[in-house]
Amino acid sequence: MPLSSADHASGEDAPTPSPEVRAGVPLLEPPGWAVSQRALFDLLDHAWRRFARDFTGPDGRLNYAGSLTTRDGVDDFYEVFFNWPQLYLLGGADDLLPASEKHWEGVTRQLTELGMLRDEYERGYDWFHQGESLLLLYFLCMAAPDRWAERALRFADLYVDPAAGNYDPEHRIITRPHNGSDPDRKGVFDGDVYPWLRKEAETYGFPLDWIPEADGGPYPLSADPRLGPQMRDRMGVGDTAVNLSAAGLVLNAWILSGEDRYRDWIVEYVGAWRERTEANGGLVPDNVGPDGVVGSLLEGRWYGGHYGWSWPHGWHSVGHAACVAALAAATVTGDDDHLSMVATTLDALIGRGKVMPHTEADSSLPAKWVVELGPDADTPTLHLPFRHNDSGWFDYNPATPPVPVALWHHTASAADRARLEQLREADGIDWRTVRPFRAKEESGHEKAWFAFLAGDDPDYPERILAAAQAQVRHRLRRIDRYRDLDVPEADIHVWQQSNPVVTEAL
């Protein structure tokens, strides 16, 4: 209850006056990190303008004259600009916000013309990629909520309103792995087979590698039974764990509107996956059939769904989606118990961890670790299994920090802090190390950041800011190299690889 004037007069429960603080020591020289930070802002302001000038047209679209022949590609257009409004929010130039809005509008028109969108939203694709596409929208909503709320709510309603065809409230499932604004988009590919490349097959393997027909090969990719009707019928319907990322879209609508229906949907949908996790011994399953039963299309397997534990990325996709959803549920309810399905799954992986040099691991993500580990690729360190199939756990990778750091960042709990300390103690690489790389999702330096927050590395700010400046300059050189390139469809990642806006250090 607020204090009454009588309470104040009597002195009962009166608030303690704020102390008066006077600065008495003159600051003759600003700290090095402050100088570096201002220099980075100045360099970034130059860099985003260069990129826009050399790679985009008058209406904000990318300079691309080709077509898109598969369902893939939407994320690669939006991701180019995803952190531009974030830079604006952090203190970038005033005209960076309208520039970011122009690029969203231009790219949206461009992708609509290419047949990828309907009513400004993805026609139907997996949430591993949809989540990447939507980061730009989320930051625009943060920067200009009044202008972007209508779109945000309209997009969230594609999932909250069962009439849109994406959600089955009876079974509490999203109805198919490829979902969006087009209810007629079925399966997980167009044509007769999934568009799987030989290099991808060699790196990640095949879905449904347990079906009897798979033993009769080798097959050409255009006829492999693991990529045809079996995949469409078993993996193209029902729910999959990576769909949990849709909770982020609905959370965005709840933040902007405060409407109970968005909170209720998150609680219902994430709650269903939490129940399935508890029934599966604390491990998030990756598939639910149209009947609402885990494994009903995969002969009882809790693993093997689209973008699930077996194929292609395992924890790299499942863990992040589950974390997005659990944090959304905890945010709208204030109940951190929703995070349990992530914590129990993560702890199960840690319990199966092995200490080894990365050069001896069976990781399917070698390109990621070449830059993140650098010369420490031969240093024994804790690896966790990212994938599981009929043979058990495999695909060991260094214990990545984003999920455990996100849990601790939200809860500030002793248990989540202790997990991080446990991971740090088991790591053969000093967490204070700052590698000069920039991951496309603006992450990868969480270990050094945690060490700084723990009080172990006071020089971290200057080193991470120096690494950021180096990345901006590297990407400015890429702009010079590729600005006149006639981009083919196979190289549409060139823009995001040249995006000079880096925000992780800020």
Side-chain angles (χ1 to χ4, degrees):
M1 296 290 290
L3 293 174
S4 67
S5 58
D7 292 329
H8 286 295
S10 66
E12 294 179 8
D13 299 322
T16 303
S18 298
E20 180 177 318
V21 178
R22 293 180 179 272
V25 179
L27 179 63
L28 301 178
E29 294 290 339
W33 67 262
V35 176
S36 296
Q37 188 181 72
R38 290 315 316 166
L40 179 58
F41 271 113
D42 290 342
L43 181 60
L44 288 169
D45 189 64
H46 164 74
W48 72 260
R49 297 177 195 276
R50 279 273 307 280
F51 183 97
R53 182 194 72 193
D54 292 344
F55 283 157
T56 71
D59 73 343
R61 71 180 59 204
L62 289 161
N63 295 334
Y64 179 67
S67 61
L68 295 176
T69 59
T70 72
R71 298 183 180 185
D72 190 24
V74 170
D75 59 305
D76 298 314
F77 282 64
Y78 284 120
E79 278 183 279
V80 175
F81 309 102
F82 85 96
N83 59 346
W84 289 29
Q86 184 188 36
L87 175 60
Y88 164 81
L89 287 163
L90 289 166
D94 289 344
D95 60 340
L96 181 52
L97 176 57
S100 302
E101 293 176 313
K102 182 181 77 170
H103 290 305
W104 189 95
E105 297 273 8
V107 163
T108 298
R109 282 191 292 270
Q110 184 174 21
L111 290 169
T112 300
E113 293 165 10
L114 289 168
M116 305 298 285
L117 308 181
R118 171 173 160 175
D119 297 331
E120 301 185 317
Y121 194 84
E122 165 71 62
R123 287 179 54 209
Y125 204 36
D126 65 76
W127 266 91
F128 184 80
H129 292 93
Q130 283 201 55
E132 294 175 327
S133 300
L134 287 164
L135 290 172
L136 174 57
L137 174 79
Y138 296 154
F139 283 129
L140 287 170
C141 288
M142 293 172 66
D146 291 343
R147 291 198 294 275
W148 289 88
E150 183 278 329
R151 281 191 177 103
L153 272 60
R154 173 159 51 89
F155 295 163
D157 285 342
L158 291 170
Y159 295 87
V160 173
D161 183 357
N166 288 313
Y167 186 65
D168 172 2
E170 178 184 356
H171 296 108
R172 296 182 293 169
I173 61 169
I174 290 177
T175 56
R176 57 199 191 281
H178 280 199
N179 48 75
S181 61
D182 185 354
D184 294 326
R185 173 162 276 191
K186 307 296 184 183
V188 288
F189 52 85
D190 300 317
D192 297 327
V193 296
Y194 191 83
W196 203 223
L197 302 177
R198 176 56 59 187
K199 180 180 179 181
E200 293 170 320
E202 292 170 352
T203 301
Y204 302 114
F206 288 87
L208 305 176
D209 58 2
W210 48 269
I211 61 175
E213 294 93 329
D215 298 330
Y219 299 91
L221 291 179
S222 60
D224 195 296
R226 295 167 292 187
L227 302 175
Q230 289 271 10
M231 185 175 179
R232 181 173 54 246
D233 295 343
R234 292 181 184 271
M235 301 178 71
V237 293
D239 208 352
T240 186
V242 77
N243 281 340
L244 278 162
S245 289
L249 180 65
V250 180
L251 174 66
N252 188 52
W254 178 80
I255 291 171
L256 291 166
S257 71
E259 293 185 24
D260 290 347
R261 61 197 182 98
Y262 297 121
R263 178 203 62 204
D264 295 345
W265 186 90
I266 291 171
V267 172
E268 178 177 283
Y269 181 60
V270 179
W273 277 99
R274 183 179 173 188
E275 292 171 14
R276 296 167 192 141
T277 299
E278 292 171 353
N280 194 46
L283 282 164
V284 177
D286 71 15
N287 69 96
V288 185
D291 55 1
V293 177
V294 172
S296 64
L297 294 179
L298 300 178
E299 299 184 11
R301 292 170 174 81
W302 57 267
Y303 52 87
H306 192 250
Y307 271 82
W309 282 111
S310 302
W311 175 90
H313 300 307
W315 175 248
H316 188 59
S317 49
V318 173
H320 290 81
C323 192
V324 166
L327 287 168
T331 299
V332 300
T333 63
D335 182 2
D336 287 347
D337 285 347
H338 288 285
L339 302 175
S340 62
M341 72 175 182
V342 182
T344 57
T345 302
L346 175 59
D347 289 339
L349 298 184
I350 293 172
R352 293 171 170 83
K354 298 178 181 179
V355 175
M356 68 177 83
H358 185 65
T359 49
E360 297 178 7
D362 62 340
S363 170
S364 63
L365 299 168
K368 173 179 174 65
W369 298 114
V370 164
V371 293
E372 294 198 25
L373 294 178
D376 278 318
D378 293 313
T379 301
T381 190
L382 180 65
H383 283 59
L384 308 184
F386 274 30
R387 294 199 282 164
H388 185 280
N389 61 14
D390 282 5
S391 299
W393 292 97
F394 68 106
D395 198 349
Y396 278 78
N397 292 267
T400 51
V403 170
V405 167
L407 295 177
W408 168 73
H409 185 262
H410 175 85
T411 66
S413 72
D416 289 331
R417 170 70 181 266
R419 182 188 295 109
L420 284 169
E421 296 289 5
Q422 174 193 358
L423 291 172
R424 185 178 184 183
E425 184 177 350
D427 203 327
I429 301 172
D430 189 342
W431 275 29
R432 294 171 294 185
T433 304
V434 174
R435 301 281 186 217
F437 70 89
R438 185 244 189 208
K440 73 172 187 175
E441 62 269 28
E442 291 285 26
S443 72
H445 295 93
E446 291 88 354
K447 292 179 179 179
W449 180 65
F450 177 78
F452 166 66
L453 295 182
D456 299 335
D457 190 6
D459 296 330
Y460 163 79
E462 292 186 39
R463 287 186 290 115
I464 192 69
L465 288 163
Q469 280 215 32
Q471 275 299 307
V472 179
R473 298 186 188 281
H474 167 68
R475 286 164 181 267
L476 285 169
R477 290 193 294 271
R478 289 182 64 89
I479 292 173
D480 287 337
R481 186 186 312 164
Y482 295 119
R483 63 186 173 190
D484 297 322
L485 175 69
D486 184 11
V487 179
E489 183 178 1
D491 292 334
I492 59 176
H493 294 88
V494 69
W495 302 303
Q496 57 184 283
Q497 292 167 352
S498 303
N499 173 21
V501 175
V502 299
T503 51
E504 183 185 10
L506 296 174

